[in-house]
């Protein structure tokens, strides 16, 4: 030791500065990534935006009552049409087959509602005037709760539905000659 200076203390100081610099660079990089993703996602619109007149969805068009529920398309996929309206989903119970591509098409008749199928990645907002589209495939039969996760009014906590997944064979046998199917009584 000369002049009260320990050589190992100098080495430790340089190593600590390097680690501090690396840590700061990592934090700056992650903050930059978050900012880029936030700005990029906020400026990128959906591929398609479908609009609809929420005051007449029950009267004509795709979302009339007789057109709600599950329907088998010509290519074997299933399209589900649903409406969120204060205190309920129409239909309140959606029947779909397992191992089949499913397209959920939903809208709102009155205020913003949430469309969430628990245990899946289906989670979207139902906004009056817009059609929300979500695609999914259920791997196995089962039942999934479907609560409204956007506060819509004082009756919000009672706004629940369900998605019942059955085998393809069960679904097709229940479909029979009907155009639309739901598990609601």
């Amino acid at each position: 030791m000369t002049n009260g200076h320990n050589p190992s203390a100098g080495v430790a100081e340089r190593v600590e500065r390097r680690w501090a610099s690396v840590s700061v660079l990592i934090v700056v990089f992650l903050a930059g990534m978050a900012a880029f993703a936030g700005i990029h996602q906020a400026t990128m619109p959906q591929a398609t935006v479908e609009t609809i007149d929420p005051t007449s969805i029950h009267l004509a068009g795709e979302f009339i009552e007789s057109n709600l529920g599950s329907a088998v398309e010509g290519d074997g996929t299933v399209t589900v049409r649903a409406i969120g309206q204060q205190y309920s989903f129409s239909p309140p119970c959606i029947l779909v087959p397992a191992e089949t591509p499913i397209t959920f098409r939903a809208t709102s008749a009155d205020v913003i509602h949430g469309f969430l199928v628990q245990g899946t990645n289906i989670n979207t907002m139902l906004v009056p005037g817009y059609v929300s589209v979500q695609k999914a495939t259920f791997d196995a039969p089962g039942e999934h709760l479907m609560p409204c996760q956007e506060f819509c009014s004082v009756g919000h906590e009672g706004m629940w539905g369900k998605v019942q997944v059955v085998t393809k064979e069960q679904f097709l046998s229940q479909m029979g000659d009907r155009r639309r199917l739901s598990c609601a009584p």
Side-chain angles (χ1 to χ4, degrees):
M1 278 194 326
T2 60
N3 297 337
H5 185 12
N6 186 346
S8 60
V11 170
E13 188 177 324
R14 284 192 307 272
V15 169
E16 285 181 23
R17 273 197 200 121
R18 286 182 186 147
W19 276 114
S21 298
V22 168
S23 299
V24 167
L25 288 173
I26 289 172
V27 169
V28 168
F29 176 73
L30 291 175
M33 281 182 33
F36 174 77
I39 292 168
H40 181 69
Q41 292 295 335
T43 60
M44 297 302 293
Q46 296 178 354
T48 60
V49 177
E50 294 181 57
T51 59
I52 191 168
D53 180 6
T55 61
S56 64
I57 59 175
H58 294 89
L59 303 174
E62 177 180 8
F63 292 98
I64 59 173
E65 188 175 350
S66 62
N67 210 21
L68 300 177
S70 303
V72 178
E73 302 298 332
D75 61 358
T77 62
V78 172
T79 300
V80 175
R81 287 179 178 82
I83 296 176
Q85 50 205 1
Q86 283 192 329
Y87 316 128
S88 68
F89 288 105
S90 292
C93 182
I94 297 169
L95 189 66
V96 295
E99 302 173 347
T100 304
I102 299 169
T103 301
F104 288 91
R105 294 180 56 79
T107 190
S108 171
D110 45 29
V111 298
I112 295 175
H113 295 283
F115 188 80
L116 168 74
V117 179
Q118 291 184 339
T120 71
N121 64 347
I122 301 168
N123 184 2
T124 190
M125 291 173 58
L126 304 181
V127 180
Y130 295 91
V131 177
S132 296
V133 179
Q134 293 278 296
K135 294 184 182 288
T137 300
F138 295 90
D139 295 330
E143 190 170 286
H144 301 271
L145 290 176
M146 188 175 71
C148 174
Q149 90 281 11
E150 293 287 335
F151 182 75
C152 53
S153 185
V154 293
H156 164 74
E157 69 280 352
M159 189 171 169
W160 290 82
K162 69 178 178 177
V163 174
Q164 187 174 351
V165 184
V166 297
T167 64
K168 285 183 186 182
E169 295 77 25
Q170 288 174 314
F171 181 80
L172 293 174
S173 70
Q174 288 184 29
M175 181 65 87
D177 293 338
R178 294 186 269 184
R179 276 188 55 229
R180 297 278 166 196
L181 188 61
S182 102
C183 51

